[in-house]
Short mmCIF file of all heavy atoms in Angstrom, two decimals:
data_model
loop_
_atom_site.label_atom_id
_atom_site.label_comp_id
_atom_site.label_asym_id
_atom_site.label_seq_id
_atom_site.Cartn_x
_atom_site.Cartn_y
_atom_site.Cartn_z
N LYS A 6 15.26 -27.14 -5.58
CA LYS A 6 15.32 -28.28 -4.67
C LYS A 6 16.61 -29.05 -4.88
O LYS A 6 17.14 -29.15 -5.99
CB LYS A 6 14.14 -29.18 -4.83
CG LYS A 6 12.82 -28.50 -4.42
CD LYS A 6 11.72 -29.48 -4.23
CE LYS A 6 10.41 -28.74 -3.90
NZ LYS A 6 9.98 -28.91 -2.58
N SER A 7 17.12 -29.67 -3.74
CA SER A 7 18.23 -30.53 -3.85
C SER A 7 18.02 -31.67 -2.86
O SER A 7 17.15 -31.56 -2.04
CB SER A 7 19.56 -29.82 -3.51
OG SER A 7 19.55 -29.41 -2.17
N ASN A 8 18.78 -32.69 -3.00
CA ASN A 8 18.49 -33.89 -2.18
C ASN A 8 19.71 -34.06 -1.21
O ASN A 8 20.82 -34.30 -1.66
CB ASN A 8 18.30 -35.16 -2.98
CG ASN A 8 17.69 -36.27 -2.15
OD1 ASN A 8 18.30 -36.70 -1.20
ND2 ASN A 8 16.51 -36.61 -2.52
N VAL A 9 19.49 -33.92 0.12
CA VAL A 9 20.52 -34.11 1.09
C VAL A 9 20.03 -35.04 2.15
O VAL A 9 18.98 -34.84 2.79
CB VAL A 9 20.89 -32.75 1.72
CG1 VAL A 9 21.96 -32.95 2.81
CG2 VAL A 9 21.33 -31.73 0.67
N ASN A 10 20.81 -36.10 2.42
CA ASN A 10 20.39 -37.12 3.40
C ASN A 10 18.98 -37.64 3.16
O ASN A 10 18.17 -37.79 4.09
CB ASN A 10 20.52 -36.60 4.79
CG ASN A 10 22.02 -36.23 5.13
OD1 ASN A 10 22.92 -36.86 4.59
ND2 ASN A 10 22.21 -35.19 5.92
N ASN A 11 18.64 -37.78 1.89
CA ASN A 11 17.32 -38.33 1.50
C ASN A 11 16.17 -37.37 1.81
O ASN A 11 15.02 -37.76 1.65
CB ASN A 11 17.03 -39.69 2.16
CG ASN A 11 18.05 -40.71 1.75
OD1 ASN A 11 18.43 -40.76 0.57
ND2 ASN A 11 18.51 -41.56 2.67
N ASP A 12 16.46 -36.15 2.27
CA ASP A 12 15.40 -35.16 2.49
C ASP A 12 15.42 -34.13 1.33
O ASP A 12 16.46 -33.75 0.83
CB ASP A 12 15.62 -34.42 3.83
CG ASP A 12 15.43 -35.27 5.00
OD1 ASP A 12 14.56 -36.19 4.98
OD2 ASP A 12 16.16 -35.12 6.08
N VAL A 13 14.21 -33.74 0.93
CA VAL A 13 14.14 -32.73 -0.12
C VAL A 13 14.19 -31.39 0.54
O VAL A 13 13.33 -30.97 1.36
CB VAL A 13 12.86 -32.84 -0.93
CG1 VAL A 13 12.74 -31.79 -1.99
CG2 VAL A 13 12.76 -34.26 -1.61
N ILE A 14 15.23 -30.62 0.26
CA ILE A 14 15.46 -29.32 0.94
C ILE A 14 15.38 -28.19 -0.08
O ILE A 14 16.11 -28.28 -1.13
CB ILE A 14 16.81 -29.31 1.65
CG1 ILE A 14 16.85 -30.43 2.75
CG2 ILE A 14 17.07 -27.97 2.30
CD1 ILE A 14 18.18 -30.54 3.41
N PRO A 15 14.60 -27.19 0.16
CA PRO A 15 14.51 -26.10 -0.81
C PRO A 15 15.87 -25.34 -0.90
O PRO A 15 16.53 -25.09 0.10
CB PRO A 15 13.40 -25.18 -0.19
CG PRO A 15 12.73 -25.96 0.78
CD PRO A 15 13.71 -27.01 1.29
N VAL A 16 16.23 -25.01 -2.09
CA VAL A 16 17.37 -24.16 -2.30
C VAL A 16 16.85 -22.70 -2.65
O VAL A 16 16.14 -22.53 -3.59
CB VAL A 16 18.22 -24.61 -3.52
CG1 VAL A 16 19.37 -23.68 -3.75
CG2 VAL A 16 18.74 -26.04 -3.19
N ARG A 17 17.12 -21.78 -1.73
CA ARG A 17 16.47 -20.47 -1.78
C ARG A 17 17.43 -19.32 -2.09
O ARG A 17 17.00 -18.16 -2.06
CB ARG A 17 15.76 -20.15 -0.47
CG ARG A 17 14.79 -21.30 0.02
CD ARG A 17 14.17 -21.06 1.37
NE ARG A 17 13.20 -20.04 1.29
CZ ARG A 17 13.38 -18.83 1.83
NH1 ARG A 17 14.58 -18.49 2.41
NH2 ARG A 17 12.40 -17.92 1.79
N GLY A 18 18.61 -19.61 -2.46
CA GLY A 18 19.60 -18.59 -2.70
C GLY A 18 19.25 -17.62 -3.83
O GLY A 18 19.74 -16.54 -3.88
#
Side-chain angles (χ1 to χ4, degrees):
K6 296 195 180 250
S7 65
N8 196 295
V9 179
N10 295 331
N11 298 320
D12 291 326
V13 178
I14 299 176
V16 176
R17 305 176 72 252

